[in-house]
Amino acid sequence: MPSSSSFAFKDRRSRKRRRTHVSTLIYFCSLWTFLSLTHASFLPTSPVHHFIHHQRNPILLYTSVEPEETTYFSPNVPLGHRHNIRNSTTSSSSSSEDEYSFFDQTTVTVQAGSGGQGASTYKRTKGGQQGPPDGGNGGRGGHVVILADASMNTLASLQRRFVRAENGQDGAYSFQSGKSGTNAVIRVPLGTVVHEVLEDGEQRRMGRLSVPQEELVVALGGVGGEGSGVTANTRGVIRPRNPPTKGERKVLELTLELIADVALVGVPNAGKSTLLAAVTRAQPKIANYPFTTVVPNLGVWNPPSPGRGLILCDVPGLIEGAARGVGLGHAFLRHVDRCHVILHLVDATSNDPIADYEMLNREMVAYGTGQLARMPQVVVVNKMDAYEEGSGEKWEEGLRVKFTREELEQRLKEVMPHARLLWMSAKEKEGVDDLMGRLAAFVQKVKDSTSDTK
Ligand SMILES: Nc1nc2c(ncn2[C@@H]2O[C@H](COP(=O)(O)OP(=O)(O)OP(=O)(O)O)[C@@H](O)[C@H]2O)c(=O)[nH]1
Ligand SMILES: [Mg+2]
């Protein structure tokens, strides 16, 4: 039988335990209320939390339990996930913008470095007295230099719109001249022409970079200030008389001029890039959709036996209205203009190869002063493998030929100014060597005749 004192002890103990429980409960309830008001998103979802959070920051609203079906951009997608989606769409949209802009012309502002200050110091003699002036000259400001880089083929990488060279360092005591500022180097592809844009909007040609590693100084750095020091050439001055000068600042327009022997011209998907890849080491993008090429690609074809090679320019596909600028036609036709010979590729599997051929010639005649119309043209029908026997697989791939080979040849010759028509398959590399051999001889003839007439 428990004693009365032990009963009293137990009673006190159980009351104490109850009190502890109640105070713990009160503590958790108040903590709950506090957290729900301040950090609602960390807590399990309840309509109250939703409401509070929604009011404060609807963008950050998401449930702690991910909904079964998440829709992109829904506020219910966890934040990290949503960020990924956003990033990927932003980057893809910007890259597609990049792809469809034509980077052969850009404007850049350059600022050469200013000269450093000349020092105005005096030699300290043993007794702490001031000796003769010993200030060094300020360093020269860095120049802005344009450098021809053979590994580049567009101005696309020139994202910086403002280029600044380093300032020269200041001179110091004991005849220490300041270090010259480092030059700023702008790398551009070969064939870049540099113009200075003057204040009245007029342009002054500064030069063209055509040899690898060629340099063009476009903005001169400022001259360093004169120091006070006595040297063999200067008598020493109490205060430097010639202050440093500022570096030049210029607005430059850079234009990429591609000069090739042969321009590969054709409607989108004709196989121009396939031909370039087949005969040169260039690796243009090739795909079965129009406008795969958006920037002209250059490639060098080397003949099998030693001789003169050919520079080929794969011009992006041209469409109706190109001469008026449709589909960046102006920019592309400008490159055709600078070549010696046009290689006109006709796609045998097009819906209407003859209409394509005539349309392209119309555009070339309409472009500029009509000089493209006078440019010699070699016509070649591509994708002749589509006619080959057993071309069943090709039909499955969706290649269709509207006319037989003879019909197409006859119809083309009816609209062509001459009867020299070549056939090839750029993909299967059939007829390609023959074409290139003839082309090289023809280009040489054209070059010889133009140099004769000059
Ligand atoms: N069967 C066959 N397909 C070819 C031939 N030449 C090119 N193609 C295909 O035609 C499609 C277009 O080729 P591209 O070389 O990208 O055409 P492109 O003229 O450069 O096209 P754009 O850059 O859009 O102007 C690709 O799927 C090639 O594989 C060929 O001789 N035979
Ligand atoms: Mg192409």
Side-chain angles (χ1 to χ4, degrees), residues 45 50 61-79 81-82:
T45 323
H50 260 187
L61 170 75
Y62 62 93
T63 54
S64 55
V65 185
E66 202 176 328
E68 273 176 14
E69 254 184 63
T70 48
T71 340
Y72 290 166
F73 300 112
S74 140
N76 284 336
V77 177
L79 200 59
H81 188 186
R82 201 169 63 218

Side-chain angles (χ1 to χ4, degrees), residues 384-397 428:
M384 78 172 178
D385 55 306
Y387 287 100
E388 277 170 12
E389 267 182 77
S391 59
E393 329 146 21
K394 300 274 165 18
W395 281 78
E396 274 163 34
E397 279 173 25
E428 308 292 336

Side-chain angles (χ1 to χ4, degrees), residues 1 162 249 303 385:
M1 210 51 205
F162 188 82
R249 186 190 180 95
D385 55 306

Side-chain angles (χ1 to χ4, degrees), residues 20 105 151 180 185 206 261 297 324 329 334 361 391 410 421:
T20 320
Q105 217 159 20
S151 66
S180 297
V185 179
M206 298 186 79
D261 297 306
N297 294 304
R324 283 181 280 119
R334 191 144 44 86
N361 278 338
S391 59
Q410 197 202 333
L421 181 68

Side-chain angles (χ1 to χ4, degrees), residues 199-426:
E199 274 179 12
D200 55 3
E202 289 290 301
Q203 293 201 356
R204 184 178 71 88
R205 187 181 161 112
M206 298 186 79
R208 179 177 192 276
L209 292 111
S210 34
V211 183
Q213 298 302 310
E214 192 179 350
E215 286 187 351
L216 181 70
V217 179
V218 284
L220 283 173
V223 180
E226 185 191 23
S228 61
V230 185
T231 64
N233 301 329
T234 57
R235 293 187 52 224
V237 284
I238 297 189
R239 275 210 184 80
R241 291 159 301 185
N242 297 326
T245 58
K246 283 195 166 175
E248 287 181 320
R249 186 190 180 95
K250 283 180 184 161
V251 178
L252 304 177
E253 178 144 310
L254 308 181
T255 316
L256 176 59
E257 274 186 359
L258 299 176
I259 302 221
D261 297 306
V262 181
L264 310 186
V265 168
V267 291
N269 250 357
K272 303 174 289 295
S273 304
T274 310
L275 176 64
L276 187 79
V279 298
T280 71
R281 290 170 68 182
Q283 293 174 336
K285 192 170 161 190
I286 297 169
N288 192 16
Y289 56 82
F291 303 112
T292 312
T293 308
V294 285
V295 173
N297 294 304
L298 285 184
V300 179
W301 169 78
N302 291 312
S305 51
R308 287 186 71 148
L310 287 179
I311 301 176
L312 307 181
C313 177
D314 167 23
V315 180
L318 297 164
I319 52 171
E320 182 102 56
R324 283 181 280 119
V326 177
L328 295 175
H330 270 162
F332 301 152
L333 283 167
R334 191 144 44 86
H335 293 285
V336 182
D337 201 12
R338 296 188 194 113
C339 299
H340 296 282
V341 169
I342 293 171
L343 179 64
H344 192 149
L345 271 83
V346 179
D347 183 352
T349 64
S350 149
N351 273 345
D352 196 343
I354 294 106
D356 289 349
Y357 171 83
E358 288 187 306
M359 178 277 289
L360 258 178
N361 278 338
R362 265 200 315 276
E363 294 303 332
M364 287 195 272
V365 171
Y367 174 73
T369 51
Q371 67 278 26
L372 287 188
R374 292 189 292 275
M375 197 179 274
Q377 231 187 72
V378 173
V379 184
V380 59
V381 182
N382 188 30
K383 308 194 186 178
M384 78 172 178
D385 55 306
Y387 287 100
E388 277 170 12
E389 267 182 77
S391 59
E393 329 146 21
K394 300 274 165 18
W395 281 78
E396 274 163 34
E397 279 173 25
L399 286 181
R400 297 281 185 276
V401 276
K402 203 169 172 184
F403 306 104
T404 64
R405 195 174 154 159
E406 292 69 32
E407 261 176 350
L408 180 59
E409 179 142 354
Q410 197 202 333
R411 281 167 182 259
L412 272 173
K413 282 182 178 173
E414 278 168 19
V415 290
M416 279 167 58
H418 54 77
R420 282 186 301 274
L421 181 68
L422 296 166
W423 287 77
M424 69 161 181
S425 166

